[in-house]
Amino acid sequence: MALKKEIVAQIAKLARLEVDESDLDLMCSELSQILAWVEQLEEVDIGSVPPMTSVIEMDLKFREDVVTDGNQADDVIANAPERDHHFFVVPKVIE
Amino acid sequence: MKESQRYLQGNTGNWELVVGLEVHAQVISDAKLFSGAATAFGAPPNTQVSLVDAAMPGMLPVINRQCIYQVVRTGLALGAEVNLESVFDRKNYFYPDLPQGYQISQYAKPIVGKGEIIVDLEDGTSRRIAITRIHLEQDAGKSLHDQHPTKTFVDLNRSGVALMEIVSEPDMRSAEEAGAYVRKLRSILRHIKTCDGNMEQGSMRCDVNVSVRRPGEPYGTRCEIKNLNSVRFLMRAIQCESARQIEVIENGGRVIQETRLFDPDRVETRLMRSKEEAHDYRYFPDPDLLPVRLEAEWVAQLKAELPELPNEKRARFVQQYGLTLADAGVLVAEPDRADFFESLAEGRDPKHAANWVVGELLGKLNKTGVELFSAKISAIQLGELIDLIHDDKISGRIAKQVFDEMFETGKDAVRIVEERGLAQVSDEGELDQHIDQILNSNSDKVAEYKAGKEKLFGFFVGQVMKATNGKANPKLVNRLLRGRLSN
């Protein structure tokens, strides 16, 4: 499937990636090739094969409902570019 | 329901309202869905955040067993299918209070499938509303927009707390039904203790899908109104959104599928700008989490262990205590209310107990805005008050006065009656004195009474009650007066 430039630009926007207009053509052809490859894979009938969710057979691990973490507000916000009273501070996003 | 009530009246004829709901209910658990941080409400900012919740690189989610237990019990209480295999997916979008850049949610294979809720309407009828699915997902953090003129403050304490998203079919046909649905759902969740249902604190929130159509036609285009945090707002939002849609169509326009916000101050819905661009969440299975596999025996065991549900309890109250369906319905709406009633009714006339809870106590709670769990009067104390009436120690009228003071101060009934000298006067000599005085100073009325105007009997009783400040034993007054007036 050949992707249009607008679709690629939209995908980049949704992923918050800044893509230069001049790079779009290259991206278009690369992404289209990947999709073409996936389409080729889809030719194989796997209707009777359950999806593989793990390389080795194992079960989901559970945690018990016990509070074991937290009380580290300083660490949590340590990398924040801006902070105030232990809040992360970001540009206003109100509706 | 009458035809005229079932439809909305437009300028060009009748419209049918179609409503579906998505309720986000915060799961009751000590720790978060995928981390060991606490879930308690109201902690200082970012103190209940693990590095998983803050989405630090390399952190991996590990699921909390309790959250699975709670959502399965919720599904069972709604008579729903529990899927023995379910999958977590990533729902991708960017927002400052979502540090991962995706929400771990469920999409194609939710943990709970189809179920139903029977809702009870004011006119005594009930309706069956189908549940489409319930899935388990992470809550986002909290954004505060009012701390700074140009900045938003973000607190991640809520980030990663488990939510159940309970999705209904578009089965509701009025704002009243939608309100009744949310109240019933909240009642069930509170009975089984899987969500506290506290809408003011945000532990239960709803998004509503509203559309209108001509009766008998296919569904119209719907709009979604997000983040309604009270039943009242939900109902108002449905009313004004349906009125808006009818107006748009009747003026020759078309309803556009969009996400809107309800503004309770202006009582209108308006377009949510950030959602104008249709969302493409690019769901895919979360590679950090294996599918959830449940044992059928475990699910069966949880089903067997479910506590009594509101409808079962209501039926029992009608049968065991001889209450009306309406009173029983009011009592079972909240589990603590039902418990209060049951301990009050023990060893007493249950109808009398129900009247006190439904009439006096709930009236008072509504008026003062106090919740039952924080009320100063206990079931034991109210029981003592009822016993005082039963034993003719105080009159019913005085009891209401005593109740008011108990509600305000938390003092025992006996103490209030003593302190205020409210004990019923059952001393015949004392009452006779009052009666003498009243009959003497109203000799004209006594004559009228004896001439056949029997209605005046009530007047004499009233005068005795007045003379004793309402403390006279009414039964005794009646007997004494009859004796005196009959000769």
Side-chain angles (χ1 to χ4, degrees):
Chain A
M1 183 177 123
L3 286 172
K4 286 194 181 127
K5 270 213 298 204
E6 300 84 72
I7 303 274
V8 176
Q10 175 68 7
I11 294 168
K13 191 181 170 196
L14 285 172
R16 296 298 187 275
L17 293 172
E18 193 179 348
V19 177
D20 202 86
E21 180 69 28
S22 62
D23 291 333
L24 274 181
D25 280 325
L26 178 66
M27 294 268 181
C28 248
S29 93
E30 282 182 357
L31 270 176
S32 297
Q33 279 174 46
I34 294 169
L35 282 179
W37 179 65
V38 173
E39 275 166 8
Q40 196 185 348
L41 290 178
E42 277 179 352
E43 289 170 16
V44 184
D45 180 9
I46 52 162
S48 59
V49 184
M52 187 181 80
T53 50
S54 168
V55 187
I56 42 168
E57 257 321 297
M58 52 183 189
D59 289 325
L60 180 66
K61 293 282 180 281
F62 292 89
R63 69 164 67 242
E64 295 306 318
D65 186 30
V66 179
V67 176
T68 54
D69 209 342
N71 290 319
Q72 47 185 348
D74 287 328
D75 290 345
V76 167
I77 60 164
N79 295 325
E82 199 180 341
R83 61 201 100 131
D84 192 350
H85 290 88
H86 287 110
F87 285 102
F88 292 92
V89 176
V90 299
K92 198 148 205 152
V93 286
I94 196 164
E95 284 293 322
Chain B
M1 209 183 277
K2 280 194 220 118
E3 185 94 334
S4 57
Q5 292 172 314
R6 193 144 63 94
Y7 298 127
L8 300 169
Q9 315 291 315
N11 291 324
T12 59
N14 284 340
W15 294 93
E16 187 177 42
L17 175 63
V18 176
V19 176
L21 279 166
E22 291 168 21
V23 174
H24 292 91
Q26 189 180 311
V27 174
I28 295 178
S29 64
D30 290 335
K32 293 182 180 181
L33 180 55
F34 295 116
S35 85
T39 58
F41 181 77
N46 290 312
T47 54
Q48 295 182 165
V49 180
S50 85
L51 299 182
V52 176
D53 310 318
M56 292 298 170
M59 295 296 112
L60 287 172
V62 180
I63 196 158
N64 181 339
R65 189 188 298 276
Q66 179 73 6
C67 299
I68 300 274
Y69 168 81
Q70 293 286 54
V71 72
V72 169
R73 292 175 69 243
T74 302
L76 293 169
L78 301 179
E81 305 156 7
V82 173
N83 295 321
L84 297 181
E85 182 178 308
S86 65
V87 173
F88 282 103
D89 295 275
R90 291 187 180 179
K91 177 180 180 177
N92 299 280
Y93 67 94
F94 281 98
Y95 206 75
D97 55 25
L98 186 78
Q100 287 167 158
Y102 58 86
Q103 177 192 32
I104 304 179
S105 180
Q106 297 190 297
Y107 188 60
K109 292 179 129 184
I111 188 159
V112 175
K114 289 184 171 57
E116 66 175 24
I117 294 183
I118 312 273
V119 303
D120 311 296
L121 303 175
E122 299 234 333
D123 63 2
T125 62
S126 52
R127 286 211 357 109
R128 192 175 293 264
I129 309 296
I131 304 289
T132 313
R133 54 187 273 157
I134 307 176
H135 64 252
L136 202 50
E137 64 184 24
Q138 296 175 300
D139 205 345
K142 192 172 177 186
S143 295
L144 293 96
H145 304 293
D146 55 0
Q147 304 292 306
H148 191 282
T150 60
K151 304 285 185 182
T152 291
F153 283 35
V154 179
D155 173 13
L156 298 181
N157 279 350
R158 213 179 56 191
S159 167
V161 169
L163 293 181
M164 300 179 274
E165 183 172 324
I166 302 160
V167 183
S168 85
E169 291 291 312
D171 281 355
M172 286 152 274
R173 295 290 175 268
S174 67
E176 190 210 341
E177 284 180 16
Y181 169 88
V182 172
R183 278 194 291 262
K184 188 57 166 284
L185 174 60
R186 184 172 57 187
S187 169
I188 293 170
L189 299 181
R190 283 177 171 169
H191 270 82
I192 60 172
K193 296 187 171 66
T194 60
C195 170
D196 67 24
N198 195 334
M199 295 185 84
E200 303 81 60
Q201 287 182 359
S203 45
M204 201 169 138
R205 325 187 270 275
C206 45
D207 302 340
V208 60
N209 282 295
V210 177
S211 64
V212 296
R213 63 175 171 184
R214 293 292 189 190
E217 298 273 305
Y219 289 138
T221 305
R222 66 175 193 268
C223 286
E224 183 180 22
I225 308 154
K226 282 227 171 265
N227 267 330
L228 297 159
N229 61 3
S230 77
V231 173
R232 199 165 57 90
F233 285 172
L234 165 71
M235 292 171 68
R236 293 295 288 139
I238 292 170
Q239 283 156 356
C240 59
E241 175 60 16
S242 54
R244 183 192 73 84
Q245 292 183 10
I246 290 169
E247 197 185 319
V248 166
I249 302 170
E250 291 193 331
N251 290 332
R254 231 161 35 88
V255 174
I256 297 160
Q257 186 171 341
E258 59 196 11
T259 305
R260 301 177 71 85
L261 282 175
F262 176 62
D263 182 337
D265 296 325
R266 294 161 73 179
V267 197
E268 61 177 25
T269 67
R270 57 187 158 82
L271 189 64
M272 210 169 153
R273 263 175 290 135
S274 64
K275 302 269 173 164
E276 262 179 286
E277 177 185 314
H279 257 154
D280 179 355
Y281 291 124
R282 293 149 296 150
Y283 280 98
F284 64 91
D286 192 319
D288 288 341
L289 289 158
L290 288 160
V292 182
R293 292 205 171 85
L294 307 176
E295 299 287 338
E297 298 80 50
W298 183 69
V299 174
Q301 188 196 335
L302 295 196
K303 187 170 187 178
E305 287 170 3
L306 274 185
E308 188 177 40
L309 297 172
N311 278 9
E312 296 162 5
K313 188 167 276 182
R314 186 179 58 177
R316 179 168 64 81
F317 279 15
V318 170
Q319 224 232 328
Q320 180 178 344
Y321 299 116
L323 303 183
T324 62
L325 197 63
D327 276 353
V330 171
L331 290 172
V332 305
E334 304 284 345
D336 57 348
R337 191 185 291 173
D339 291 347
F340 190 103
F341 163 74
E342 289 211 87
S343 68
L344 190 62
E346 201 178 329
R348 298 191 180 89
D349 174 5
K351 285 185 191 166
H352 204 177
N355 286 342
W356 271 94
V357 176
V358 174
E360 299 305 316
L361 181 60
L362 291 184
K364 202 78 177 166
L365 292 170
N366 278 337
K367 213 161 114 190
T368 53
V370 175
E371 296 285 343
L372 181 56
F373 70 84
S374 56
K376 288 184 180 153
I377 184 166
S378 69
I380 293 173
Q381 286 175 306
L382 183 53
E384 286 166 358
L385 177 65
I386 293 176
D387 293 343
L388 289 179
I389 308 168
H390 186 257
D391 299 343
D392 282 337
K393 299 266 171 54
I394 55 172
S395 68
R397 214 178 63 160
I398 292 288
K400 292 191 177 160
Q401 216 175 303
V402 176
F403 172 77
D404 284 348
E405 191 169 336
M406 292 172 79
F407 188 87
E408 229 154 82
T409 62
K411 282 187 197 166
D412 288 344
V414 177
R415 195 171 141 206
I416 293 168
V417 169
E418 263 171 31
E419 279 177 1
R420 306 207 154 226
L422 295 172
Q424 186 151 275
V425 178
S426 296
D427 178 343
E428 292 197 19
E430 191 182 336
L431 289 176
D432 267 332
Q433 278 182 10
H434 288 294
I435 290 171
D436 277 344
Q437 215 173 0
I438 285 155
L439 297 185
N440 284 337
S441 51
N442 292 285
S443 48
D444 50 335
K445 293 212 166 59
V446 174
E448 281 179 53
Y449 176 83
K450 288 189 171 169
K453 200 169 174 189
E454 292 192 1
K455 269 199 297 185
L456 279 171
F457 190 76
F459 164 81
F460 295 121
V461 175
Q463 290 298 306
V464 179
M465 296 311 275
K466 200 171 155 193
T468 57
N469 292 319
K471 294 184 291 185
N473 177 339
K475 281 184 217 157
L476 196 54
V477 172
N478 271 309
R479 185 165 62 78
L480 292 174
L481 267 173
R482 287 221 188 272
R484 295 288 295 276
L485 288 167
S486 66
N487 50 41

